[in-house]
Amino acid sequence: MKPPPFDYHSPRSVGEALEILAATGRDGKVLAGGQSLIPMLNMRLAAPGHVVDINRLTELAAVTVGPDGVRTGALARHAQVERSGPVAAAQPLLRRALRLVAHPAIRNRGTVVGSLVHADPAAELPAVLTLLGGSVRLARRGAVRDVPAARFFTGPLESAAEPDELAVSALFPALPPRSGTAFHEVARRHGDYALAGVAARVRLDDDLRVAAAEVVCVNAGPVPELVDVTGDCGHRAPGTADWGAAARAVRDRIDPEADIHASAAYRRHLAGVLAERALRDAATEAAGG
Ligand SMILES: Cc1cc2nc3c(=O)[nH]c(=O)nc-3n(C[C@H](O)[C@H](O)[C@H](O)COP(=O)(O)OP(=O)(O)OC[C@H]3O[C@@H](n4cnc5c(N)ncnc54)[C@H](O)[C@@H]3O)c2cc1C
């Protein structure tokens, strides 16, 4: 299939891009890596009158690592972020999650910020942003705002980004001390979207007992939601915490849907199994093991 006709814009600066988006409004669509938008155009699931290609805006390709975490610009590709040593040191969950995203060819073009704006409940990065309490920076002509992950994902394939806004970057916060993370998922074939997946984070207190245990599940509801299981696993050392009870709590609190790939009951079961594994691994990492 060929896409429906559209006017193509290739702005040379962020300011020019924002002018075009202000003029095109609901009829405009940003093109970043194109790994989701181009298939949607070809399948006629989207028919914008204007496509605003941001690939010349190289100033948006920066990935910066600071005390507050990792900030990825709108043109930072999955592969660029995945391969960065400083990113892996500052926020290891990003590399773990990105290795589960599609195939290398797609990761060479797809962008981290594009994946967040696309807001697919089956995608890994929205779960990571939600678990870490990150945010997305949105710019429109004359204004910039930071939207926390908890308010950014508004529905399946829907985000808080308005048609005249460009997502310029995303912040993935660093972890507090004595914290660990893990990401586990099951897909029918490597590189496919996951049937179910779980990102987990565990923080220990000064006595090395569990102070916080949280997960976000992939493909478990319309938007990624933080599930706090701190009260379920018990305020104990990682080796004696009740991770089984935490996993049962995850199963009870998610709302997966059935589709041609898996029933809702199977997804719920899978999420519980993966949650237990991910929480154990995150706790082991938090304990320094
Ligand atoms: C075969 C295949 C398998 C895949 N498997 C996975 C997978 O397992 N897990 C996964 O997470 N993803 C997967 N993807 C999707 C991939 O990760 C995409 O790269 C990602 O979802 C979108 O990033 P993009 O840069 O390509 O965005 P685009 O395709 O360019 O854009 C996607 C949407 O976001 C909007 N957008 C993009 N950037 C901005 C911006 N800066 N500001 C405002 N709006 C913006 C666009 O207008 C569009 O609506 C797969 C894709 C393919 C083709």
Side-chain angles (χ1 to χ4, degrees):
M1 288 274 287
K2 294 268 189 289
F6 53 79
D7 288 347
Y8 174 79
H9 305 264
S10 181
R12 302 291 178 122
S13 68
V14 171
E16 190 188 341
L18 300 184
E19 288 298 334
I20 296 168
L21 289 173
T24 55
R26 295 206 163 273
D27 208 20
K29 269 272 175 210
V30 173
L31 172 71
Q35 299 303 300
S36 298
L37 182 61
I38 298 295
M40 285 177 72
L41 293 177
N42 288 346
M43 288 186 275
R44 311 269 168 139
L45 296 172
H50 301 264
V51 169
V52 184
D53 182 350
I54 60 169
N55 282 275
R56 283 175 192 257
L57 308 182
T58 48
E59 75 236 59
L60 296 181
V63 177
T64 52
V65 177
D68 56 342
V70 176
R71 185 170 287 282
T72 60
L75 269 192
R77 315 279 173 186
H78 296 321
Q80 175 190 349
V81 179
E82 176 193 345
R83 290 182 197 142
S84 161
V87 168
Q91 187 39 270
L93 187 59
L94 267 171
R95 177 179 281 180
R96 286 175 190 146
L98 281 163
R99 284 186 171 159
L100 299 170
V101 173
H103 307 282
I106 291 159
R107 299 205 292 270
N108 282 339
R109 288 301 298 170
T111 63
V112 167
V113 169
S115 176
L116 298 174
V117 179
H118 190 53
D120 190 330
E124 288 81 2
L125 294 173
V128 170
L129 194 82
T130 303
L131 183 74
L132 298 177
S135 58
V136 178
R137 182 162 292 169
L138 300 172
R140 61 154 55 96
R141 196 172 55 187
V144 176
R145 62 182 180 130
D146 286 314
V147 182
R151 283 195 281 110
F152 186 73
F153 304 104
T154 54
L157 304 184
E158 282 176 21
S159 79
E162 297 289 340
D164 64 341
E165 285 183 311
L166 179 67
V168 288
S169 66
L171 176 68
F172 295 85
L175 292 175
R178 289 182 300 283
S179 298
T181 57
F183 204 122
H184 286 288
E185 71 174 37
V186 170
R188 290 175 73 92
R189 295 171 306 186
H190 179 70
D192 280 2
Y193 279 102
L195 293 178
V198 176
R201 176 169 76 159
V202 171
R203 182 169 57 80
L204 306 181
D205 63 17
D206 291 343
D207 302 322
L208 297 184
R209 291 191 291 183
V210 176
E214 296 153 318
V215 306
V216 176
C217 299
V218 165
N219 240 336
V223 294
E225 287 202 36
L226 192 78
V227 183
D228 187 339
V229 291
T230 314
D232 302 282
C233 62
H235 182 53
R236 305 190 209 148
T240 58
D242 193 346
W243 300 117
R248 286 191 293 280
V250 172
R251 272 205 306 264
D252 290 347
R253 287 183 222 164
I254 60 173
D255 187 20
E257 284 195 0
D259 60 19
I260 55 165
H261 303 296
S263 66
Y266 180 59
R267 281 210 163 91
R268 191 182 293 281
H269 166 76
L270 216 45
V273 172
L274 295 170
E276 185 166 347
R277 280 183 205 162
L279 284 163
R280 282 184 192 280
D281 286 356
T284 302
E285 186 178 76

